[in-house]
Amino acid sequence: MLRITVPRIVGLLALALLASYAFVLAPKYNARNAPEPYAFSGKAPTAMPDWLVAALAAPAPTDAATTPATTGAATPAATPTDTPAAVPTPAPTGGEETAGPAPAPAEPAPAPFPAPGGAFMGLMTKAGPYDLDPVEEFATAVKHQPNVLEFSVGWWDKRFDRRVFDTVAERGIMPMVAWEPWDFHKESKVDKLRGEQPDYALSRIVGGEFDPYIKQWAEGVKSLGYPIALRFAHEMNGYWYPWAEQANGNRRGQYVQAWKHVHDLFRQAGADKVVWVWSPNIDYENATPLDSLYPGDDYVDWIGLSGYYGTVGLEKYASFEQIFEPTLKKLRTFSQKPVVITETAATDSSGQKARWITEMFEQLPRHPDIIGLIWYEAVKEVDWRVTASGPASAAYAAGVAAPRYAGQWTVRSQPLLTVPPPATPPAATSSPSAPAPAPATPSPSAKPTGTTGTKPSGAGVPTRKPTTTKPRSSPPAEAG
């Protein structure tokens, strides 16, 4: 039998202290002092990079270079005989007036993006501009480079860093930033409290407390020299963010006031190369009415939507149109702005991802007012990645090969801001009835996880949004 002695007691205490340090104190210290995983190191530059100076000085691309082809035939290359030979101009005689030099031809207008009749296909990854390997993996798998890369930046960071945009634009990809007035580090683990961050109440934005930061960003975006898309305070019709009117002590009407306040500060700064993306979640029971949150066509360029097939709790199959059409119809009662699907993806839990993608590409051309779609290529609660499945990658590659997705973005592109109104649907026929639309669901970045007074119940429950989702210079710890 071991005797209890002083040396043994001291040894046990020392062992306990070492274990506490190794498993409790050290991890907390390292986490607190580790650099942000989604931020560039060093001082943010202010000057344009050399590649951008050269690109902006180059001739603007013509419409032909960016307009999707209507057939699969290649355009024949020009030959010397395609251009008539130059005819010599007779020398003027003494009795003739000589004309002055011909005026220089006007520079062609920047090509629209996407081209009319086309649509862009974009991507959102966990790391965004801080790690482009997933973007390259995706492009290789589907044989198509995304035209837009969406990433998130939280207001907690309190600085503008043009590198998050330049890193994307240099690759011929349009940056879209989800600009989020909150501090994701402080998000509550309690579902009904996730949107509670009084420091970021809408009243404080409207009251001007963030004006220095907003003006810094306006000047920074202006200095970029090329167009970007700004998805400000998205999914505002839910309850899971501090800018939602259902959360954080916010009041009805304050979201529109905050939107207009931010927009006006950009306008005053001359930051006119911004595509303002007003981006709710697809509608669901107990969501804030969309029309009450809309700032008006003078303040919005594109309308975005988040919606997924197969979020936790609603795995029953629902097609792209079944998910989005009910909300699209509501949007068209108050605006005809172009629509971008700013977040979407599909689960493969029942082996239906490839089917869902195939149907998505079949259904998209029926909606010419949808000018773009951004796939959420990440893992959180559900593996949304196209690259995780060979059949899904093949289905996406086949769909995106259509000519309408062949357009390209450049720093000289002009964002497309108008679309034809959606066609009137044909009258109902006696054909078998289609399955009822699936309940609308918040996107993975919204992730309802518990019960609240505003959350639907039963069949209408919005499905959970994965946590730690979207890339951000404020890292994607929870929600997006």
Side-chain angles (χ1 to χ4, degrees), residues 197-216:
Q197 291 194 13
D199 288 347
Y200 296 92
L202 289 174
S203 60
R204 300 192 68 187
I205 299 175
V206 175
E209 295 186 45
F210 291 94
D211 281 7
Y213 170 67
I214 298 169
K215 291 177 180 179
Q216 177 195 29

Side-chain angles (χ1 to χ4, degrees), residues 229-250:
L230 196 153
R231 186 189 183 212
F232 172 65
H234 60 285
E235 297 173 9
M236 72 303 288
N237 55 327
Y239 63 87
W240 44 87
Y241 285 127
W243 54 84
E245 290 188 356
Q246 294 186 27
N248 212 23
N250 298 324

Side-chain angles (χ1 to χ4, degrees), residues 255-268:
Y255 180 83
V256 169
Q257 294 173 14
W259 179 284
K260 289 183 175 181
H261 181 77
V262 173
H263 185 282
D264 287 346
L265 291 177
F266 272 68
R267 180 178 290 171
Q268 292 165 16

Side-chain angles (χ1 to χ4, degrees), residues 297-347:
D297 284 354
D298 290 342
Y299 286 86
V300 173
D301 297 309
W302 293 347
I303 293 177
L305 281 177
S306 303
Y308 290 72
Y309 154 57
T311 41
V312 176
L314 282 179
E315 291 83 1
K316 184 178 179 180
Y317 188 80
S319 71
F320 174 84
E321 285 185 334
Q322 288 174 326
I323 291 169
F324 287 101
E325 270 197 335
T327 305
L328 287 169
K329 290 178 180 177
K330 291 184 178 181
L331 292 174
R332 290 316 180 202
T333 64
F334 57 83
S335 180
Q336 300 299 320
K337 289 288 184 176
V339 171
V340 174
I341 305 302
T342 42
E343 286 186 42
T344 197
T347 181

